[in-house]
């Protein structure tokens, strides 16, 4: 089991995908899941589909691979605070964040009624198929949805279980645990606000959309994906208040830049590279900052077209093209690119002066800024 | 705030409803929620409906009142292991189990598509109404369902947050935390199996239904409601292995008896006393042990009638009556009553010899056996 192996020297080429770290995170997840599967199957063999679905969701092969971004930021936050490179407990704690992310994805897909996740059926669809394929009684869709609620809940509980039992000294866990709980509250708040955005009716011409989109990015992405994981890793290694603050000041702009790049890729990304259909976000009707910026500056006619077509059922390639034109015309992409540059500068400046104790960590985090802001997928 | 008050002598008349304990549990929940509301509203005032819904769900007036059963068993498990009567930390830890229960109810109602909970709209229906009443865009039902997923997730996370920060020494929390995580895994497994029961197609005439119904009771009710809360309270007070085992041997039969009484009340209960419609479980189509026992012993004609009418849409009073007759004819209620008596004896015997350190705790637990097995609502 890879957790038992000694860690080779870290590859810093592209740390987000650093194979050595990902292998260790996967090893920690594998060990943990094996224990939970033992518990579940001892209760009843009928829990087999739950075990199988969770294992495949977390460890099954995926065409686009897995970034394990949150685990990576947690681990490098640990290293930057002086934590040992091959400390299995830190890797296990970092892996717990991937259980949280899996829970969020399972529940997100259910809330959005998404049929797929990374090109494979979403969890509620898998259980719906299990129900249909088995010729069971009752409503297959309801069974699928209910199963996904339970699987997401299990993953949320297991995030705690793995984090609490990661193997680091109890004081380390105790220091970091409140931030893990805050991080989870923040991301759920961000998800609710994100969901509210397209639903709520806002006062005509009110200018709050851009601000609200920023709040969603801050809580649903920046804090959740970068800032809190970094700070969690730091606290596990007893980071100073200065370093924790520096991680905060570095993680927020980097996390926002990462999300803004994601938003641009969601509209202009090359399907061959992103692995997602062209204009995916437009089809899903996501109310990103890019969309808010467009609405804040485009003509009334363009605004109407955007509101009509964004997320419209059966939006075709032509519709996607028309939406792209509206967004491009508005100049919003340019402004978003400028903001990414500014955020990148801000992150790099903070990083340069951060009281990071391990040079390699600073170097890896610097490269993460490049990976996050210049990536094409 | 009631946690700050000194505790009066415990009322042992009916400890499940013991006002003094319930007030303290509610006080702990109130304090905790106030802090979380501050966090959420600082993120955005638009999270107001989330705060309001959670507060009302946990602390709002309810016609039938609240048993706070899990908190009570946790508290008395603590007392029985020698924990101090007015230890606020123990009350807060016990209150965390009520956050877990609230999460389970919010998600259960969503999974079952239940419109109401204790006579008031279920959480997904509340958010659906918020969406409709506000004239928002999109699918109100989808918004309601998604909101309920997030609210249940929040409550699940908050269970941990309150338990971890209950204020007891870190060693106490550390001793009990793994059992809290196991308890949550067990109850979710039980919920999945419970959901599977009416859905799955079982081999004709296979005799496993009674066994499976017992497994569901064990994991969804007995361990979750009685055994684990007792053991959790005990571990928080550093209970000996002997006492933890004794709590286990006492809690399991008591928890099963409690659920079996519930099953009988769900079919024969007096609506005026239970506060639920007559034959509620029959309308909901619950596959209880009572139903499994009936199917195991009734005539083929009765079995067909039971399978046809149980949970049938728009089942009327006459249908309920016919189902009751089938169940009564089968002799299952008698066998369930006999089992309750046997379980009660088993629980009382274990209790009598349990190495409980506080006489009052033994007395209260003895009365809880009566309350659980002889209750009429």
């Amino acid at each position: 089991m890879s957790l038992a192996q000694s860690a080779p020297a870290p590859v810093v080429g592209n740390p987000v995908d650093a194979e050595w770290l990902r292998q260790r995170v996967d090893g920690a997840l594998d060990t943990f899941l094996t224990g939970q599967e033992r518990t579940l199957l001892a209760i009843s063999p009928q829990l087999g589909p739950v075990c199988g679905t969770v294992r495949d969701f977390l460890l099954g092969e995926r065409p686009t691979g897995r970034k394990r971004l949150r685990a990576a930021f947690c681990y490098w936050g640990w290293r930057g605070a002086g934590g040992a490179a091959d400390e299995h407990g830190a890797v296990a704690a970092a892996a717990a964040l991937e259980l949280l992310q899996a829970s969020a994805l399972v529940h997100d897909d259910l809330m959005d009624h998404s049929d797929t996740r990374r090109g494979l059926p979403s969890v509620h669809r898998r259980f719906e198929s299990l129900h249909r394929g088995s010729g069971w009684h009752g409503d297959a869709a309801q069974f699928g949805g209910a199963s996904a609620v339970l699987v997401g809940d299990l993953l949320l509980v297991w995030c705690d279980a793995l984090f609490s039992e990661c193997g680091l000294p109890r004081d380390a866990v105790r220091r970091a645990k409140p931030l893990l709980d805050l991080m989870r509250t923040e991301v759920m708040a961000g998800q609710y606000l994100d969901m509210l955005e397209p639903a709520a009716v806002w006062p005509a011409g009110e200018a709050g959309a851009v601000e609200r989109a920023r709040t969603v990015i801050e809580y649903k992405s920046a804090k959740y994906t970068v800032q809190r994981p970094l700070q969690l890793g730091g606290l596990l290694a007893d980071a100073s208040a200065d370093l924790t603050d520096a991680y905060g000041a570095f993680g927020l702009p980097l996390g926002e830049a990462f999300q803004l790049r994601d938003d641009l890729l969601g509209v202009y990304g090359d399907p061959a590279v992103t692995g997602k259909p062209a204009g995916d976000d437009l089809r899903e009707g996501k109310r990103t900052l890019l969309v808010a910026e467009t609405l804040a500056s485009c003509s009334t006619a363009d605004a109407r077209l955007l509101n009509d077509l964004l997320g419209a059922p059966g939006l075709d390639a032509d519709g996607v093209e028309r939406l792209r034109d509206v967004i491009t015309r508005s100049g919003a992409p340019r402004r978003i690119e400028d903001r990414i540059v500014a955020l990148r500068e801000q992150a790099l400046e903070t990083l340069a002066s951060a009281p990071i104790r391990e040079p390699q960590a600073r170097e890896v985090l610097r490269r993460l800024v490049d990976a996050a802001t210049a990536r094409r997928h």
Side-chain angles (χ1 to χ4, degrees), chain A residues 75-361:
Chain A
Y75 174 81
W76 288 107
W78 156 269
R79 293 290 308 281
D86 60 355
E87 170 54 58
H88 305 154
V91 171
L97 299 185
E98 299 298 328
L99 290 170
L100 171 59
Q101 171 64 359
S103 170
L105 295 179
V106 169
H107 280 174
D108 274 359
D109 289 341
L110 176 65
M111 296 189 285
D112 301 345
H113 295 183
S114 306
D115 298 332
T116 62
R117 164 66 56 183
R118 290 228 185 94
L120 293 174
S122 47
V123 167
H124 59 284
R125 292 291 180 223
R126 284 176 188 230
F127 281 92
E128 186 177 340
S129 305
L130 170 68
H131 188 286
R132 282 225 177 73
S134 313
W136 288 346
H137 306 295
D139 182 333
Q142 179 171 359
F143 179 86
S147 301
V149 169
L150 289 174
V151 167
D153 288 350
L154 260 182
L155 287 163
L156 192 50
V157 167
W158 289 355
C159 161
D160 268 301
L162 180 53
F163 193 84
S164 306
E165 300 303 304
C166 65
L168 290 175
R170 66 189 59 178
D171 284 0
V173 173
R174 167 101 175 175
R175 270 194 309 269
K177 182 65 164 60
L179 188 64
L180 174 64
D181 293 328
L182 175 60
M183 168 189 178
R184 297 192 291 177
T185 297
E186 287 172 338
V187 70
M188 289 162 194
Q191 284 174 292
Y192 179 81
L193 295 175
D194 193 22
M195 189 170 77
L196 199 61
E197 200 48 36
V201 175
W202 306 104
E206 63 93 43
V210 168
E211 220 23 73
R212 289 195 307 270
R214 289 230 173 99
T215 302
V216 169
I217 288 181
E218 178 179 354
Y219 288 96
K220 194 183 169 182
S221 305
K223 285 175 173 291
Y224 173 64
T225 306
V226 184
Q227 187 197 47
R228 297 314 193 187
L230 263 175
Q231 292 178 315
L232 274 172
L235 288 174
L236 288 171
D238 206 5
S240 66
D242 286 352
L243 180 53
T244 304
D245 293 346
Y247 279 159
F250 166 76
L252 221 46
L254 173 55
E256 181 179 344
F258 184 90
Q259 184 57 52
L260 294 181
R261 173 60 60 207
D262 223 46
D263 293 352
L264 288 167
L265 288 169
V267 173
Y268 298 99
D270 174 358
V273 185
T274 62
K276 296 176 184 175
D280 199 31
D281 286 3
L282 301 173
R283 298 173 197 276
E284 288 182 24
K286 284 194 189 161
R287 292 274 159 172
T288 61
L289 181 60
L290 179 61
V291 168
E293 287 275 5
T294 301
L295 286 168
S297 55
C298 69
S299 70
T300 320
D302 279 356
R304 195 176 306 106
L305 192 144
L306 184 58
N307 282 317
D308 290 350
L309 293 188
L310 192 67
L315 182 72
D316 61 8
D318 172 63
V320 167
E321 210 35 66
R322 291 171 66 200
L323 280 172
R324 277 210 191 106
D325 293 344
V326 167
I327 294 168
T328 309
R329 260 202 301 279
S330 76
R334 185 68 264 147
R335 290 199 297 281
I336 297 290
E337 287 287 1
D338 294 346
R339 183 163 175 88
I340 290 176
V341 171
L343 289 164
R344 171 197 167 76
E345 288 315 308
Q346 194 186 333
L348 289 173
E349 269 174 35
T350 326
L351 182 63
S353 61
I356 289 174
R357 294 175 54 188
E358 160 60 50
Q360 188 177 58

